[in-house]
Amino acid sequence: MRRNHRSMSYSFFSLSCLQNKSSFLAKQCQDNVDLNMAGRNLFKLLDLNPGSEEDIQRLDVDSIIKELQQNPSSAAKRYPFSYLFFEKCFPLQTAILLRAPFEVISLLLSIFPDAAKECCFEFESYCGRLPIHTVCEFGASLDTISCVLESWPDAITVKITKREHPFLLHV
């Protein structure tokens, strides 16, 4: 079920996330994603709800890989995924939440390794969370965790402090 992002209570955001949100919105206007045909295809393939097992089962891995091979630049764009109430996010984070297999994650990182350094979630429970934190929390394979970590080894030193209990990564 889709929620109207306008009816969402902003009490879910921490103060720093609200500050980041205003700068994010300014950047969003400046850095408006051009959903050209290539980007639109990857966006459509990944615009699923990670909280829905039905949507996770619909993830078309072969089509995602084919799209990335044909249009690699689409991996480096932020998209307004509906599950994020249209906040923009790189495909890597969405693929991780959709429990995409190693092949998809490694291809995304081989095309755009800087995505491993980016957090895009503005919600309080995800603020400051990097892809390495997400793959660990959501039980990704050791190969996937290693792939994300190899893309940015310093990620293990980053603490998430926007939660009630900081998330520390112990590898």
Side-chain angles (χ1 to χ4, degrees), residues 151-163:
S151 294
W152 190 40
D154 289 343
I156 61 171
T157 65
V158 177
K159 297 177 188 176
I160 298 175
T161 58
K162 311 273 193 276
R163 300 175 72 180

Side-chain angles (χ1 to χ4, degrees), residues 100-103 105 135-136 138-148:
F102 169 77
E103 294 79 16
I105 304 300
V135 293
C136 290
F138 284 83
S141 71
L142 187 55
D143 286 339
T144 300
I145 293 170
S146 296
C147 182
V148 173

Side-chain angles (χ1 to χ4, degrees), residues 16-18 31 38 54 58 69 80 100 103 113 136 139 159 163 168:
S16 64
C17 284
L18 284 174
D31 188 29
E54 184 179 312
R58 290 186 333 168
Q69 289 169 339
E103 294 79 16
C136 290
K159 297 177 188 176
R163 300 175 72 180
L168 294 173

Side-chain angles (χ1 to χ4, degrees), residues 10-80:
Y10 285 98
S11 64
F12 291 111
F13 297 101
S14 69
L15 179 58
S16 64
C17 284
L18 284 174
Q19 292 166 345
N20 289 342
K21 185 164 180 66
S22 64
S23 64
F24 172 81
L25 291 174
K27 184 175 182 192
Q28 185 177 25
C29 291
Q30 175 188 8
D31 188 29
N32 198 3
V33 170
D34 174 29
L35 286 179
N36 59 24
M37 200 56 180
R40 191 175 312 130
N41 289 337
L42 183 62
F43 171 70
K44 285 182 178 180
L45 289 166
L46 289 172
D47 195 25
L48 302 169
N49 180 355
S52 164
E53 284 300 320
E54 184 179 312
D55 275 9
I56 290 170
Q57 295 301 317
R58 290 186 333 168
L59 186 68
D60 187 346
V61 172
D62 293 333
S63 293
I64 292 169
I65 290 171
K66 182 178 177 183
E67 179 62 29
L68 286 168
Q69 289 169 339
Q70 290 176 350
N71 302 295
S73 65
S74 63
K77 294 180 183 178
R78 290 182 185 261
Y79 299 100

Side-chain angles (χ1 to χ4, degrees), residues 104-149:
V104 170
I105 304 300
S106 64
L107 183 56
L108 284 164
L109 284 167
S110 70
I111 295 168
F112 185 57
D114 283 348
K117 300 176 182 179
E118 298 287 333
C119 53
C120 70
F121 306 110
E122 295 294 326
F123 301 109
E124 184 175 330
S125 61
Y126 287 98
C127 236
R129 183 176 305 213
L130 294 168
I132 189 65
H133 300 124
T134 308
V135 293
C136 290
E137 184 172 345
F138 284 83
S141 71
L142 187 55
D143 286 339
T144 300
I145 293 170
S146 296
C147 182
V148 173
L149 191 55

